């Protein structure tokens, strides 16, 4: 494939048809983002205020547009491989909210029978969620193998592997990308560049803002920089190379520029963030920006949007109440997993 470095802007209203975007699809994008946000806010409250959940949990708040753009693009048979910040990916592929809450509670009704927890929420093979790894970067070479199988089977399906800006500095990333290019696998290397890797600003390590991008150069694959706070930009990036991807011409990289509106994990109040930085990114909140746009374009009515928010909150609360009735595996059941 021709090597390309492109910046992908949004899709304009007059181009919706060209990109097979219907009103229903646009609404679904907004809905996906709203559900993810409401789920994450509930999770945060359960950890911090109610003390019901324990352990680590890395929230997707501020990054919802990436999942929404991917959801609009993927079709049955496509696979996703996720990482430690994967709650949004789990919701995006459609795993029932109740099962996700059960998993967070450590209950056997969870998608991983309660033994996976927060960092394994996006695993639901029937819906295309094949795997998630908390070992930063390790999921990339695994995804290359999965995509290689898709290629050998001539399925026309693709794999999307999610990873953060921190992951581009691992050896596994470099090995994974070079193999993906060499084997020409149908893989989207989707870097969610949310500015931070734990408590470190990735760009600061190199005194150069473009460092994440530079990591992708030299492998001979197309690189698209998309607005990770706009689902249409993410979707457009994916659509740009769909034909090449599905026909086995090789992988592409997408660098989605976004921001983690919360700390690294629920416990982290991010005192290291410069004053005003979060406020700046709040003014680019993907849900507010996209809902305003759809209201202005007449795709969604203002009242309808308010209803969506209210109904989603209710749906989330109900799912949690149902999940609470579950129970953890007993010892015998646990042995059955070994
Ligand atoms: C190989 C490895 N090194 C270190 C860690 C500890 N760790 C967990 S998340 C994280 C930061 C990852 O940052 P990034 O890839 O940008 O993802 P983000 O958390 O921002 O979504 C680190 C260093 C780990 N899990 N695995
Ligand atoms: Mg990051």
């Amino acid at each position: 494939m021709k090597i390309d470095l492109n910046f992908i802007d949004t899709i304009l209203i007059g181009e919706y048809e060209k990109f097979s975007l219907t009103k229903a699809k646009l609404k679904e994008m907004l809905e996906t983002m709203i559900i993810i946000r409401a789920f994450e806010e509930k999770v945060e409250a359960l950890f911090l205020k109610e003390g019901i959940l324990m352990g680590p949990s890395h929230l997707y708040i501020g990054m919802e547009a990436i999942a929404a753009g991917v959801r609009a693009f993927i079709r049955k048979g496509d696979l996703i491989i996720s990482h430690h910040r994967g709650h949004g990916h789990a919701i995006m592929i459609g795993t029932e909210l109740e099962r996700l809450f059960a998993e967070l509670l450590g209950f056997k009704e969870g998608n991983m029978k309660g033994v996976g927890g927060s960092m394994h929420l996006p695993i639901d093979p029937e819906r295309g969620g094949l795997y998630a790894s908390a070992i930063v970067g390790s999921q990339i070479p695994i995804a290359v193998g999965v995509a290689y199988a898709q290629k050998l089977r001539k399925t026309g399906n693709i794999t999307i592997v999610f990873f953060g800006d921190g992951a581009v500095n691992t050896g596994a990333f470099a090995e994974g990308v070079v193999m993906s290019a060499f084997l020409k696998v149908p893989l989207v290397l989707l870097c969610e560049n949310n500015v931070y890797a734990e408590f470190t600003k990735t760009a600061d390590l190199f005194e150069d803002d473009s460092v994440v991008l530079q990591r992708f150069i030299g492998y001979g694959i197309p690189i698209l920089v998309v607005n990770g706070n706009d689902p249409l930009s993410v979707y457009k990036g994916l659509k740009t190379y769909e034909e090449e991807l599905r026909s086995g011409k090789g992988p592409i990289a997408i660098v989605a520029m976004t921001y983690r509106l919360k700390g690294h994990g629920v416990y982290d109040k991010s005192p290291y963030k410069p004053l005003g930085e979060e406020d700046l990114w709040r003014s680019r909140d993907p849900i507010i920006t996209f809902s305003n746009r759809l209201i202005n374009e007449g795709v969604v009515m203002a009242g309808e949007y308010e209803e969506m928010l209210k109904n989603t909150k209710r749906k989330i609360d109900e799912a949690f109440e149902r999940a609470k009735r579950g129970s953890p595996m007993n010892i015998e059941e646990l042995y059955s997993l070994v």
Side-chain angles (χ1 to χ4, degrees):
M1 254 198 280
K2 192 168 148 279
I3 304 163
D4 236 343
L5 172 59
N6 266 317
F7 292 84
I8 304 288
D9 207 344
T10 193
I11 298 175
L12 300 173
I13 186 165
E15 301 172 313
Y16 285 164
E17 215 166 295
K18 181 174 138 204
F19 284 95
S20 344
L21 284 169
T22 55
K23 267 193 178 188
K25 212 161 180 176
L26 292 163
K27 257 191 224 180
E28 190 187 78
M29 280 182 175
L30 180 61
E31 209 159 28
T32 303
M33 296 202 284
I34 291 173
I35 299 173
I36 296 173
R37 176 74 56 97
F39 181 86
E40 295 293 61
E41 283 174 348
K42 179 82 180 175
V43 171
E44 189 182 38
L46 291 169
F47 266 94
L48 300 182
K49 287 203 203 98
E50 302 181 37
I52 292 173
L53 295 180
M54 286 167 286
S57 205
H58 310 95
L59 303 179
Y60 204 65
I61 294 181
M63 301 162 64
E64 298 90 345
I66 302 175
V70 169
R71 181 187 171 125
F73 175 79
I74 50 176
R75 66 180 201 200
K76 200 164 169 47
D78 290 345
L79 299 169
I80 65 140
I81 296 191
S82 177
H83 54 146
H84 59 284
R85 198 177 297 286
H87 298 183
H89 306 150
I91 291 168
M92 177 260 286
I93 58 173
T95 303
E96 300 92 331
L97 300 169
E98 187 177 331
R99 282 172 78 212
L100 300 179
F101 279 126
E103 187 58 39
L104 291 174
L105 287 161
F107 291 167
K108 58 175 177 259
E109 292 79 7
N111 61 301
M112 292 288 287
K113 301 186 188 339
V115 297
S118 165
M119 290 190 264
H120 299 102
L121 283 201
I123 302 182
D124 187 352
E126 271 174 36
R127 294 184 168 82
L130 197 65
Y131 182 62
S133 170
I135 311 300
V136 172
S138 70
Q139 71 277 31
I140 302 169
I142 292 168
V144 176
V146 171
Y148 192 42
Q150 287 173 317
K151 179 170 178 144
L152 294 178
R153 290 173 186 170
K154 297 190 170 41
T155 59
N157 295 325
I158 62 148
T159 297
I160 298 184
V161 61
F162 294 92
F163 52 92
D165 42 291
V168 303
N169 295 311
T170 65
F173 165 82
E175 290 180 10
V177 183
V178 83
M179 284 309 286
S180 72
F182 175 70
L183 296 171
K184 292 192 171 28
V185 296
L187 179 68
V188 177
L189 296 141
L190 208 168
C191 177
E192 298 178 312
N193 186 354
N194 64 3
V195 180
Y196 288 94
E198 277 193 327
F199 322 115
T200 305
K201 206 172 243 189
T202 302
D204 282 356
L205 288 174
F206 303 85
E207 295 174 3
D208 182 345
D209 260 0
S210 68
V211 64
V212 172
L213 208 53
Q214 285 183 27
R215 287 285 183 266
F216 286 90
I217 293 171
Y219 297 100
I221 63 174
I223 307 155
L224 303 177
V225 183
V226 303
N227 178 356
N229 278 29
D230 174 8
L232 293 179
S233 171
V234 176
Y235 176 78
K236 188 176 178 182
L238 289 160
K239 277 289 189 194
T240 305
Y241 280 93
E242 180 166 21
E243 167 31 48
E244 288 87 342
L245 273 168
R246 296 200 187 277
S247 62
K249 296 212 170 60
I252 67 162
I254 291 192
V255 182
M257 308 302 286
T258 184
Y259 187 77
R260 193 189 75 200
L261 280 173
K262 293 285 172 174
H264 174 64
V266 274
Y267 53 84
D268 169 27
K269 296 194 167 58
S270 34
Y272 46 84
K273 283 184 180 173
L275 213 64
E277 187 181 83
E278 243 184 49
D279 290 338
L280 171 69
W281 282 90
R282 277 192 195 285
S283 71
R284 301 169 182 162
D285 184 312
I287 298 181
I288 296 174
T289 318
F290 194 56
S291 60
N292 279 343
R293 174 175 168 174
L294 294 191
I295 290 168
N296 284 338
E297 290 178 3
V299 176
V300 175
M301 300 298 125
E304 199 183 346
Y305 172 58
E306 294 304 323
E307 277 296 298
M308 273 163 104
L309 293 176
K310 227 172 45 209
N311 289 341
T312 304
K313 201 177 156 344
R314 204 196 54 236
K315 239 169 57 186
I316 295 280
D317 287 338
E318 286 171 1
F320 179 69
E321 289 308 314
R322 283 197 304 275
K324 259 191 351 197
R325 293 185 213 128
S327 57
M329 286 192 167
N330 61 33
I331 295 288
E332 288 80 59
E333 285 170 317
L334 278 172
Y335 272 115
S336 76
L337 300 177
V338 179

